Amino acid sequence: MKITKHKKTRKYMSFYINNFGFREPLLVLIDGSFCHAAYKVRLQIEEQLKKYFQCEVKPIVTACIITETDNLGPAFVGTSQLLKKFLVHRCGHEKQPVDGATCIKAMTKTCHYVVATQDRALQEWVRGNPGIPLFYLHNASVPTLVQPSEAHRQAAADGQKDRVGIRELDKTTIQALKVKEGLVAPEPKVRKKPRKPKNPNPLSCKKPKKKKSDVNGNGQSDVKVGPAHGDSGVVKKKSRKRIKLPKHVVEHLKATNGVQNKVSRK
């Protein structure tokens, strides 16, 4: 194989690795048509795949592909036996098998596969669905990895736009440079309204302290009030509260006072 083919292969696979998440080992999904073409020219599929991609490669098939090849008749017995040597992946159609093309279309939706097929209809479907590398035998004998189609490149470009965005700081810098060079008119400055002073939060304010006053035992204040404007200047005397004695104490005092008065008269 020429060096130029190796370069193209690495270039094409780098495209799928960088944009669609392909990783080694590469999984090559082989259908019955590709295997039959390789069987007729005595091509060692696994050996040729490793030489072509120059990395670790795993050729795989599904039960649907093997069943389809078995049903094609005695002419495909050798092809069917060759398919059964490869690793069989579960496709989910074990209870109700489908044709190989339908099975491959379903498999490529859940995992990254390189599709190896000689089926022209399936090849056209792969070219129109981004993220699926197409591999086939050119002139039924030369292994060839197809160049990514326009649909694949457009999907990769859209994916890069979604992943890479411009920061807000970069947008501001670019806008300032455009204004400086006169490419864009400067945006009119919006004058901000001055803020009005707000009332203090009543919950955060301290309550005013009450003035302490001296109060006597009778509940009246002993503080003398001085002359105020318009007053006569007379100091008011504090009133004294009379203590009411019990009735029997009053009678006892009266009786005692009467006896003392009689003694003093004598």
Side-chain angles (χ1 to χ4, degrees):
M1 188 181 295
K2 295 181 180 180
I3 298 175
T4 54
K5 286 190 176 181
H6 286 300
K7 288 184 178 179
K8 287 183 179 180
T9 303
R10 286 196 297 269
K11 180 181 178 181
Y12 297 161
M13 283 311 304
S14 297
F15 170 81
Y16 290 105
I17 289 171
N18 296 330
N19 294 286
F20 297 101
F22 278 78
R23 295 289 182 270
E24 294 184 18
L26 297 178
L27 302 179
V28 182
L29 186 57
I30 300 171
D31 73 342
S33 62
F34 181 88
C35 189
H36 186 66
Y39 177 76
K40 288 194 297 183
V41 297
R42 300 295 187 268
L43 182 70
Q44 300 294 327
I45 295 177
E46 188 170 359
E47 182 181 347
Q48 290 298 323
L49 287 174
K50 290 180 180 180
K51 287 182 179 180
Y52 187 87
F53 289 100
Q54 293 185 337
C55 66
E56 189 177 356
V57 179
K58 286 185 178 181
I60 62 173
V61 294
T62 64
C64 294
I65 296 173
I66 295 174
T67 303
E68 182 186 43
T69 308
D70 287 339
N71 296 333
L72 293 177
F76 290 85
V77 173
T79 304
S80 179
Q81 291 178 352
L82 183 60
L83 282 172
K84 292 175 183 178
K85 292 181 180 179
F86 301 132
L87 183 65
V88 180
H89 269 209
R90 296 184 62 181
C91 59
H93 307 130
E94 286 78 14
K95 294 182 179 180
Q96 188 175 359
V98 296
D99 60 279
T102 304
C103 183
I104 290 174
K105 291 177 182 179
M107 290 284 287
T108 53
K109 292 180 180 179
T110 58
C111 192
H112 299 300
Y113 294 105
V114 178
V115 176
T117 181
Q118 300 295 110
D119 186 354
R120 293 297 179 89
L122 185 57
Q123 288 178 359
E124 290 299 323
W125 181 87
V126 171
R127 287 191 179 96
N129 285 268
I132 308 173
L134 176 61
F135 187 76
Y136 76 109
L137 295 178
H138 184 63
N139 293 330
S141 60
V142 182
T144 305
L145 180 66
V146 178
Q147 181 180 0
S149 65
E150 185 61 30
H152 292 212
R153 296 185 182 279
Q154 185 62 40
D158 295 340
Q160 288 180 356
K161 289 180 181 179
D162 295 337
R163 290 192 298 269
V164 181
I166 302 177
R167 299 180 303 171
E168 292 295 329
L169 179 62
D170 296 335
K171 289 181 180 180
T172 306
T173 306
I174 292 170
Q175 184 67 18
L177 291 173
K178 287 182 179 181
V179 172
K180 185 178 180 180
E181 296 296 331
L183 301 175
V184 180
E187 296 181 359
K189 293 183 179 180
V190 179
R191 189 175 181 181
K192 295 182 180 180
K193 295 181 179 180
R195 293 184 178 181
K196 296 180 179 180
K198 296 182 179 180
N199 296 328
N201 188 357
L203 299 177
S204 63
C205 296
K206 292 183 178 180
K207 296 182 179 180
K209 294 182 179 180
K210 296 182 178 180
K211 293 182 179 180
K212 295 181 180 180
S213 58
D214 296 330
V215 181
N216 57 11
N218 299 329
Q220 296 179 354
S221 176
D222 294 334
V223 180
K224 296 181 180 181
V225 180
H229 182 70
D231 295 338
S232 59
V234 179
V235 178
K236 294 181 180 181
K237 294 182 179 180
K238 61 181 181 178
S239 59
R240 298 180 67 182
K241 188 176 181 181
R242 292 184 178 181
I243 299 173
K244 189 175 182 180
L245 298 176
K247 188 175 182 181
H248 67 280
V249 176
V250 174
E251 292 177 355
H252 178 69
L253 292 175
K254 286 181 178 180
T256 305
N257 291 334
V259 174
Q260 289 179 356
N261 292 333
K262 289 179 181 181
V263 172
S264 62
R265 289 176 184 175
K266 289 179 180 182

